[in-house]
Amino acid sequence: MNRDSESKYKGFEADRSKYPQMEKDKPVIDLESQKFIKTWQGPQHPGVTGNMSVELIINGDEIVDAKTHVGYLHRGFEKLMERRRYIQCFPIVCRICVPEPDTNEYCVSAAMEDLAGIVVPEKALWLRTLNLEMSRVGSFLMWLGGQAGSLGMGAIGQWTIGMRDFWLDLFEEMTGGRVYHMYMIPGGVRKDLPEGFRDRTRELIVRTRALLFDIEKTFFNNAIVKARLKGLGVISPEMVTEYGIVGPSARASGIEDDIRINNPYGKYAELDMKMITSDVGDAYARAEVRYQELHQSLDLISQIMDKMPEGGKIQAKLPNVLHWKIPAGQTYVKAESTRGEHGFYMVSDGTKYPRRVFARGASYTHAISVLEKLAVNISISDLAALMVSLHTCPPEIER
Amino acid sequence: MKLKDILSPFNVWERAAKKPWTIKDPINDRPGAANYRGFHKNDFDKCIGCGSCEEICQNDAIDLVPVEGQETKEGNSGLRPRIDYGRCCWCGLCVDICPTGALTMSNDYTWVADDPEDYRFIPGADKTKWQDATKGYKRDEGIALINYDRVKMKEIEPENRDKSFIEIVKGYNKDQAMKEAERCLECGICIATCPAHMDIPAYIAAIRDDDIENAFRILYETNPLPEICGRICTHKCETVCALHHNGEPLAIRWLKRYIADQIPKDKYMEVLGTEHLADPILDRKVAIIGAGPAGISAAYYLAIMGYQVKIFEALPDSGGMTRYGIPEYRLPYDQIEKDYDYIKSLGVEMQFSTRVGEDISLEELHRDYDAVFAGTGLHLGRSTRIPGSDNKRVYFATDLLREVSLGNEIDVAEKIVVIGGGNVAMDITRTLARLQNIKYGKVDVLTTSLETEDIMPADREEVVEAREEKAVIDPGWGPKEIEISDGKIKGLHVVKCLSVFDEDGRFNPKFDDNQRKFFEADMIVESIGQGMDLSYLSEEIKSGLKFGPRGRIQVNKNFQSDLKWLFVGGDIIQGPDVIHGVANGHVAARAIDQFLKK
Ligand code: SF4
C-alpha cells in the first residue's frame, strides 16, 4: 500500500499485484479458495456514518472488494413532498440530514421562491446566511469528532459533540428547535434573533476557537493521525470531475469550487472569504481543509454579527399557504453544505403540490461510487476513517 | 515522523486542569429557550375550532374533536384540536396558521406517562404541567401564512355619486376576486351562521378555480337571489369569519356578487340546467303571497320541484322590500330584475297590484290552491308617538322609500331630521341627501338615534358613506318632542340617551333630561322599525292560528302554521333581512313538498 503522502495524488489506483487475480480488468474472487472472507461493515457499526453498510471481501486485513448497500432509512421525502402543500415541505426536508438540516431548508424554500418569484427581504437573507454558517459549524464539529473517533480517539469526539451542543443551544434560542430547526420558510425566516444573541454567539466563537486550538495540538499534530490519514483515500483532480466529487473533498484535491464564492446566495457576496484548498488530496488534506473551513465559518459568523442590521422585515408576503399554487416551471437551486454542493431540483405543474422534488446530496457519489473505489486495497481498520474522511451522510442518499 | 507530532498530543492533559463543561445537575429542569417549540397549549377562550391547524398539519397529527364544556355557537364550532404526539414533528405550522392566536407552544419538553394513549391529548382541555408556561413558541408578528388584509373594493367617489342614484360599489374584477377568494381558510364556520347555510367555502373555491359556472350553481343550491344578496346581504357570515380575529373578514358578499355578475341573464337557464322546467310537471298548485325574497325563494324551489306556482303581489312589481325599501344606489333595479326575471322564466306566474285580503281573499286562495305561502313582509312604519309626530310633515321611512322606488315625486324639505340608527335610517338619510342635492344643490339632513355610534345597528360603512355624502349623523339622543308652530315643524327636541338596554338585555332606554339639544327641521322622518300588516287574515282564519310575541304568527320549524295548508315566512317571522327570507322560503318549499306528497 502506498503511504507516501507527499507524492502527489498517488495510490488511488488499487495495487492488484497479489490478490485478487484480474481477468479482463475485473477481480476474480473465489470465496471457496479460502483466501477471502466476506464480511459486512454496517448497517449497525460504529465505524459507519449513519445507516448504511459496506459489503467487504477481505484478504487478511486488506479490502479487495467493497460494495455499498443502502435502504436502511428510506423515508421517501421526495415522494412525500409530492403529496404536500408547498408550505408543508419545510418540516420534511430538514430530516434529510440530521447534522446539517439547514441547507435542505434553505434549498427547498429558495426553490419555491425562485419558481414563484418571491423576493426575500434583506434581513431574512442575513438571518438565513447566519443560520447556514452556524449549521456548518455544527456539522464540522460532528465530523471532526467522528474523524477522531474513527481512529480510536473518542475523547475528541466527546469534546466536539459537547461543543456542538452549545451551538445547538444557540439554535434553540434562534429557531425554537435544537436539531431540526424548521427556521427558514418560503419568503424568509420565522423569527428575528432574541436579545443578547449576538454577544452570546461571539462568546461561543471564542470558546470554540479555544477548543479547536486543543484539537490542533492533539489531533492534527499527532504522529498516529498523520500515519493513518496521510495517503489514505487519495482523490486526484481527474477523479473529482469523473465522479462528481464536491465540497471540501474536491477542494482538498485542488479544485477551486465553493458555491458560496462562485455562485453566492444569501448574503455571502457581502462577506469576506477566501477559497480554502489543498493539493494533496488524501484524507489528512481533507481533514485540514475542513478544519480551516470550520475556522472560516466562525469568522463568517463574526462578520455577520457585525454587518447584519437590527430589525427589518423577516418574511416576504406569501399568498394564503393553504391554496398556494406555484406557476408551472422547474428550477435547480444549490448551496454549499459541509459535504459540498447540495441542490434541490423542483418541478411545479401549477397545482398546490410540487410535481417533483429531487434532493441532490454530495453523499450519493461520495458514499457509493467514490467509497467503493477508494476502499479497495486499504486495511479494513482504515475503512471507518476513510468513510468519515469523505464526510458521507446516508440519509442524503435515501431521500 | 517528527518528534513534535509525538509530543504534541500530550497537551491533552492540560484539559484535566480546566473547568468541565458538563451540565452539573442533569436531574433538575433545564428550561427550553424562550422561543422553544415544546408542548402545545390552546387558549379555549380564543379558539373557535376552525380546524386550520388540522388542515395545515403535514403529519395528520391533529384532529378536531368535541370537548366537554365547549359548545357550538355562532362563530365557534365547539370542536377543539387534539394532537397526537406519536405523529407530531413540532414544526409549529399549526401555531403559525392559527387565525385567532389561540394555539401556542410552551417551552416544556419533558413528559413521562405510562399509558401511550396519554400522548394523544387535547391542549387546553387536559390538565398539563405546562399549561401556565409563559415561555415558548408563538407566531412572530413579522410572519404570516394567511392574508389578513381584504382586497379593497372600488367605490364611486362621494362627489360623483351624491346627486344621483348610481350604484356606488363597483364590484371586483377577476384578479381582485381571485385574490380575495384566496384568503379563505375553508373552515366553514360561516356556513352554520348563514341563515341559508350557503356552501360559502365551496363557491369561493370555485372562484379560485375560475369555474364561475360551478360557483353559480352552488349559489343557487341555497339562494336564488345572488345578485341581490351579493349587494345588500347583512352578511352574518362575515361577522364570524375566522379571519376577522386578526384582520379583516373575507368579503364573502362581494365574492357572491362577483359570481352572479359574471353570468349574463340569458345564460342562467343553460348554466343552471333548468331549460326543461318551463312546463310544470306536477298537478299541484301553490299560491304565494308577496313577491319579496321569502315568497320568491319559496316559488323558485317549488318551481324546480315541478309545482305550479303563482305569486300574488300588492305592489306593481316584484321584489318586496328589496325593490321598494332599498335605494337604487345600493341595489340597482336591473340587478333585482336579473334575479326575479330568471325565476319568472321558470314558469312562476306573478300577479301584481293584487292585494290579498282586498282584491282576492285568503279563503279563495285556500280553495283554489293546495297550499299557500305568505311572506308579506314589514311594510308599515312605526311611530315614536312623541308630541307632534302626528304632523303631516312627519313621515315613515318605509313610505318615502317606496314612493321613491315607484318613481313618485316627494316633497323634500330644505332641513330634514331622521330619527333612527339602523340601515333603513341610513337608506332614507342618503336618499333624502341626494334628493336635496338635486333640488337645492346642498344637503341638510341630520340623523339621530338612541344608540351611540359604537352600538348603532347600521353597518359601519353606511354611516361613513352617509357622512361622505354630507349628511350629519349625531347619535346617542332620545327624541322628546317635535316643536310645531302654526302647523309647521320647527324642529326636534332630544335628550341625551344614557343606555338603550337594561341589564337583562331588554329595550329600556335611560335618559339624562339635563342634557338637551334641539335639531332644527321642517320635515321629520321616523325610521325606528317596521310593522307588519296582517289584515288579510280574516277572523275565521285567525281563530285557527296561534300568535307568538309581538303578534307573530306561530309556525313550526318548517314554517308551517297551525292551519296545515298555510306556511308563513320572511320578515314577519324572522329577520328582518333578505337572507332570512331566502332561507325561510327554501325550508318552507321543502316542507310544502312534503305536505303535498302526503
Ligand atoms: S387553528 Fe387555532 S382557532 Fe382554529 S381550531 Fe386550531 S387552535 Fe383553534
Side-chain angles (χ1 to χ4, degrees):
Chain A
M1 272 178 279
N2 190 337
R3 276 298 159 95
D4 180 10
S5 66
E6 309 307 327
S7 60
K8 237 182 162 187
Y9 309 127
K10 251 197 273 167
F12 68 93
E13 272 311 327
D15 174 6
R16 301 281 184 190
S17 55
K18 273 189 281 167
Y19 299 107
Q21 272 91 44
M22 301 294 283
E23 235 172 59
K24 285 188 200 144
D25 278 352
K26 282 212 161 88
V28 185
I29 298 161
D30 177 10
L31 290 176
E32 299 290 310
S33 69
Q34 313 245 325
K35 286 176 189 152
F36 304 101
I37 296 174
K38 181 182 272 210
T39 183
W40 292 71
Q41 182 139 314
Q44 294 91 359
H45 187 285
V48 169
T49 56
N51 307 60
M52 68 179 285
S53 65
V54 195
E55 182 188 350
L56 299 169
I57 293 176
I58 51 171
N59 174 1
D61 275 354
E62 187 184 343
I63 297 168
V64 293
D65 196 25
K67 220 174 216 82
T68 49
H69 293 274
V70 292
Y72 302 98
L73 78 165
H74 181 70
R75 287 160 289 175
F77 299 120
E78 292 178 352
K79 199 75 196 161
L80 284 176
M81 282 188 266
E82 292 171 19
R83 300 286 182 277
R84 297 283 188 284
R85 293 182 174 106
Y86 282 100
I87 194 72
Q88 293 173 315
C89 293
F90 80 86
I92 295 184
V93 290
C94 48
R95 280 150 238 276
I96 291 177
C97 182
V98 186
E100 198 181 4
D102 309 84
T103 330
N104 289 287
E105 285 186 23
Y106 165 73
C107 285
V108 81
S109 288
M112 290 174 198
E113 286 150 10
D114 189 29
L115 286 172
I118 294 169
V119 182
V120 179
E122 283 286 291
K123 179 62 184 281
L125 289 176
W126 279 111
L127 289 166
R128 281 184 174 187
T129 313
L130 169 64
N131 191 258
L132 286 168
E133 279 312 310
M134 284 168 59
S135 160
R136 287 171 61 85
V137 169
S139 174
F140 275 139
L141 284 171
M142 198 158 177
W143 158 82
L144 188 47
Q147 189 70 77
S150 71
L151 302 175
M153 307 163 99
I156 292 178
Q158 288 174 19
W159 302 346
T160 59
I161 296 296
M163 184 52 79
R164 175 173 170 268
D165 249 43
F166 293 119
W167 283 93
L168 297 191
D169 286 349
L170 286 185
F171 271 119
E172 182 182 332
E173 277 190 49
M174 177 182 188
T175 69
R178 291 181 70 78
V179 176
Y180 294 137
H181 309 131
M182 300 182 260
Y183 179 62
M184 294 183 220
I185 52 171
V189 298
R190 290 169 95 178
K191 276 256 172 333
D192 200 345
L193 298 180
E195 218 159 292
F197 186 86
R198 294 185 202 227
D199 292 339
R200 287 191 289 282
T201 309
R202 287 189 185 105
E203 236 168 75
L204 187 59
I205 292 174
V206 174
R207 286 175 69 189
T208 311
R209 286 205 204 270
L211 173 74
L212 293 183
F213 183 63
D214 283 353
I215 292 177
E216 197 171 326
K217 284 186 289 190
T218 49
F219 181 79
F220 286 95
N221 298 337
N222 185 325
I224 298 170
V225 172
K226 285 185 176 170
R228 292 193 62 186
L229 291 187
K230 286 201 172 191
L232 179 68
V234 181
I235 295 173
S236 70
E238 297 76 47
M239 202 175 155
V240 169
T241 2
E242 198 181 332
Y243 282 76
I245 296 168
V246 289
S249 301
R251 290 194 284 277
S253 299
I255 304 294
E256 296 212 347
D257 183 18
D258 186 326
I259 302 170
R260 295 174 300 168
I261 297 171
N262 296 350
N263 305 82
Y265 48 96
K267 280 285 168 196
Y268 284 113
E270 290 174 38
L271 299 174
D272 221 5
M273 64 190 288
K274 278 203 188 64
M275 185 83 70
I276 294 166
T277 54
S278 159
D279 55 5
V280 181
D282 62 6
Y284 191 80
R286 289 196 283 278
E288 276 185 324
V289 167
R290 291 195 183 102
Y291 178 72
Q292 287 172 43
E293 288 194 9
L294 181 44
H295 277 291
Q296 179 191 49
S297 288
L298 295 174
D299 177 51
L300 290 177
I301 294 171
S302 304
Q303 288 187 39
I304 295 170
M305 290 300 146
D306 297 339
K307 291 185 180 165
M308 180 167 55
E310 293 280 353
K313 266 183 76 175
I314 57 168
Q315 194 208 22
K317 200 168 179 160
L318 287 186
N320 180 349
V321 295
L322 291 172
H323 314 304
W324 186 20
K325 289 182 184 164
I326 291 185
Q330 51 179 322
T331 186
Y332 176 74
V333 293
K334 54 187 180 178
E336 187 74 22
S337 79
T338 49
R339 295 169 309 286
E341 172 171 337
H342 197 87
F344 266 62
Y345 172 62
M346 188 181 282
V347 184
S348 143
D349 56 4
T351 63
K352 273 192 219 170
Y353 311 106
R355 176 71 189 85
R356 174 81 171 97
V357 187
F358 172 84
R360 189 257 183 232
S363 303
Y364 198 92
T365 40
H366 292 191
I368 299 182
S369 13
V370 179
L371 179 68
E372 282 179 5
K373 181 170 175 70
L374 296 180
V376 174
N377 216 212
I378 65 167
S379 161
I380 189 169
S381 57
D382 286 338
L383 181 63
L386 173 67
M387 239 180 134
V388 181
S389 88
L390 294 170
H391 200 181
T392 56
C393 177
E396 234 172 52
I397 304 169
E398 303 186 46
R399 294 92 44 186
Chain B
M1 199 175 287
K2 294 177 191 141
L3 184 63
K4 196 184 121 221
D5 287 345
I6 295 171
L7 296 178
S8 174
F10 288 100
N11 270 302
V12 68
W13 286 106
E14 239 182 66
R15 293 180 67 83
K18 285 187 186 157
K19 239 174 72 196
W21 296 343
T22 26
I23 294 168
K24 261 196 224 121
D25 185 358
I27 303 299
N28 286 334
D29 276 356
R30 181 274 194 197
N35 178 29
Y36 190 70
R37 289 192 307 271
F39 302 135
H40 291 76
K41 297 191 303 178
N42 191 0
D43 181 347
F44 273 12
D45 293 339
K46 282 193 192 164
C47 179
I48 55 167
C50 69
S52 301
C53 44
E54 180 185 26
E55 191 59 34
I56 198 77
C57 179
Q58 58 101 1
N59 289 313
D60 281 347
I62 302 181
D63 284 310
L64 275 248
V65 294
V67 172
E68 219 177 293
Q70 296 300 312
E71 258 147 54
T72 307
K73 46 185 183 227
E74 291 221 339
N76 188 336
S77 73
L79 304 174
R80 292 295 179 262
R82 181 186 65 190
I83 306 186
D84 182 350
Y85 274 177
R87 307 187 69 117
C88 180
C89 75
W90 282 272
C91 65
L93 264 179
C94 48
V95 173
D96 283 354
I97 201 152
C98 177
T100 63
L103 199 64
T104 54
M105 283 161 137
S106 72
N107 65 337
D108 199 348
Y109 58 90
T110 58
W111 183 11
V112 180
D114 36 25
D115 184 357
E117 283 297 318
D118 287 2
Y119 295 115
R120 193 194 290 134
F121 80 115
I122 303 168
D126 301 342
K127 242 186 128 39
T128 55
K129 73 177 160 73
W130 57 86
Q131 62 193 13
D132 300 321
T134 49
K135 286 182 180 166
Y137 183 75
K138 290 171 195 71
R139 177 174 73 89
D140 192 281
E141 289 284 301
I143 69 156
L145 302 186
I146 43 187
N147 198 335
Y148 291 105
D149 303 321
R150 184 182 268 211
V151 175
K152 288 275 163 296
M153 173 56 81
K154 281 221 174 73
E155 291 187 357
I156 295 189
E157 298 299 315
E159 56 275 20
N160 295 328
R161 67 177 194 232
D162 59 2
K163 283 185 206 60
S164 74
F165 283 80
I166 182 173
E167 184 172 22
I168 295 173
V169 175
K170 288 195 164 171
Y172 282 145
N173 62 26
K174 183 168 161 181
D175 279 359
Q176 292 170 318
M178 285 202 144
K179 230 173 141 217
E180 181 65 12
E182 196 198 78
R183 302 207 299 133
C184 178
L185 296 177
E186 291 190 314
C187 61
I189 294 270
C190 45
I191 302 179
T193 299
C194 170
H197 305 309
M198 300 192 72
D199 194 347
I200 296 160
Y203 68 71
I204 288 177
I207 296 179
R208 281 198 304 274
D209 297 340
D210 199 18
D211 187 354
I212 300 300
E213 295 194 355
N214 186 34
F216 193 62
R217 283 188 285 272
I218 298 170
L219 293 184
Y220 267 82
E221 278 169 18
T222 41
N223 186 344
L225 301 178
E227 287 286 15
I228 294 174
C229 287
R231 285 176 166 77
I232 50 100
C233 185
T234 40
H235 55 78
K236 307 204 178 312
C237 48
E238 291 180 20
T239 52
V240 297
C241 176
L243 290 170
H244 95 269
H245 294 275
N246 206 1
E248 291 172 286
L250 198 70
I252 300 172
R253 176 174 58 169
W254 300 145
L255 289 174
K256 189 184 310 127
R257 166 179 168 169
Y258 166 76
I259 299 169
D261 280 354
Q262 306 315 302
I263 309 279
K265 202 166 161 178
D266 53 359
K267 289 271 278 237
Y268 272 35
M269 277 203 167
E270 187 192 322
V271 174
L272 296 170
T274 49
E275 288 114 321
H276 63 286
L277 276 174
D279 298 314
I281 44 169
L282 295 173
D283 192 22
R284 315 300 294 268
K285 297 197 295 183
V286 183
I288 289 175
I289 312 173
I296 285 285
S297 164
Y300 172 75
Y301 289 107
L302 286 165
I304 59 170
M305 285 186 254
Y307 289 98
Q308 299 174 34
V309 187
K310 183 160 179 179
I311 303 181
F312 297 87
E313 166 61 53
L315 287 160
D317 211 338
S318 56
M321 271 301 181
T322 55
R323 187 191 293 269
Y324 295 104
I326 293 169
E328 203 184 348
Y329 61 83
R330 280 217 287 149
L331 180 55
Y333 299 136
D334 57 338
Q335 300 305 331
I336 301 181
E337 269 141 35
K338 206 174 160 198
D339 279 347
Y340 289 123
D341 285 356
Y342 165 61
I343 292 164
K344 245 188 251 172
S345 72
L346 297 178
V348 172
E349 254 186 90
M350 301 196 190
Q351 185 172 325
F352 298 122
S353 306
T354 306
R355 186 173 285 277
V356 176
E358 281 175 19
D359 304 319
I360 185 169
S361 71
L362 187 51
E363 281 81 355
E364 280 171 83
L365 292 184
H366 175 41
R367 187 191 65 211
D368 298 341
Y369 292 84
D370 299 295
V372 177
F373 176 82
T376 48
L378 308 175
H379 290 264
L380 295 186
R382 268 214 206 114
S383 173
T384 52
R385 299 217 183 90
I386 52 174
S389 63
D390 50 359
N391 187 285
K392 68 174 188 338
R393 291 293 270 161
V394 178
Y395 297 88
F396 292 135
T398 41
D399 292 344
L400 290 182
L401 289 168
R402 187 182 322 117
E403 289 304 305
V404 173
S405 293
L406 284 167
N408 299 338
E409 201 172 311
I410 54 175
D411 182 10
V412 189
E414 261 191 277
K415 265 185 182 308
I416 306 174
V417 167
V418 175
I419 306 171
N423 279 334
V424 177
M426 291 303 130
D427 285 345
I428 192 62
T429 302
R430 299 175 64 188
T431 298
L432 290 172
R434 280 169 171 72
L435 294 174
Q436 278 184 329
N437 226 334
I438 295 166
K439 191 166 170 189
Y440 304 107
K442 64 176 176 60
V443 175
D444 192 349
V445 190
L446 182 142
T447 302
T448 183
S449 64
L450 283 180
E451 300 91 352
T452 44
E453 186 138 357
D454 50 325
I455 54 162
M456 257 170 92
D459 288 342
R460 188 66 215 148
E461 66 256 29
E462 286 288 320
V463 179
V464 172
E465 287 170 11
R467 285 191 174 131
E468 283 173 1
E469 290 156 11
K470 302 200 190 71
V472 178
I473 316 280
D474 190 352
W477 300 95
K480 264 280 142 197
E481 188 193 340
I482 296 173
E483 191 181 317
I484 315 246
S485 122
D486 293 340
K488 275 205 176 139
I489 294 179
K490 290 267 145 231
L492 175 72
H493 289 280
V494 291
V495 288
K496 187 89 215 153
C497 177
L498 299 174
S499 67
V500 184
F501 301 99
D502 61 16
E503 273 114 57
D504 306 328
R506 270 193 302 255
F507 181 75
N508 186 10
K510 299 244 164 4
F511 300 103
D512 175 4
D513 283 336
N514 296 325
Q515 291 188 62
R516 294 172 162 272
K517 253 191 188 178
F518 178 69
F519 299 132
E520 264 182 56
D522 29 44
M523 169 177 176
I524 285 179
V525 182
E526 293 176 312
S527 177
I528 57 158
Q530 290 109 261
M532 55 190 157
D533 177 5
L534 296 181
S535 57
Y536 56 90
L537 301 175
S538 64
E539 285 310 317
E540 196 193 331
I541 286 182
K542 269 193 198 157
S543 66
L545 294 172
K546 276 205 203 76
F547 291 86
R550 283 188 277 165
R552 285 189 176 176
I553 301 173
Q554 239 178 44
V555 287
N556 64 14
K557 66 177 191 324
N558 288 329
F559 302 95
Q560 191 173 27
S561 72
D562 279 5
L563 295 170
K564 296 284 172 235
W565 52 271
L566 181 63
F567 294 75
V568 190
D571 287 354
I572 53 175
I573 299 293
Q574 263 186 344
D577 63 6
V578 176
I579 193 68
H580 275 98
V582 166
N584 295 175
H586 191 182
V587 174
R590 271 182 302 194
I592 291 171
D593 179 45
Q594 289 297 317
F595 169 68
L596 295 182
K597 271 188 185 148
K598 265 189 202 151

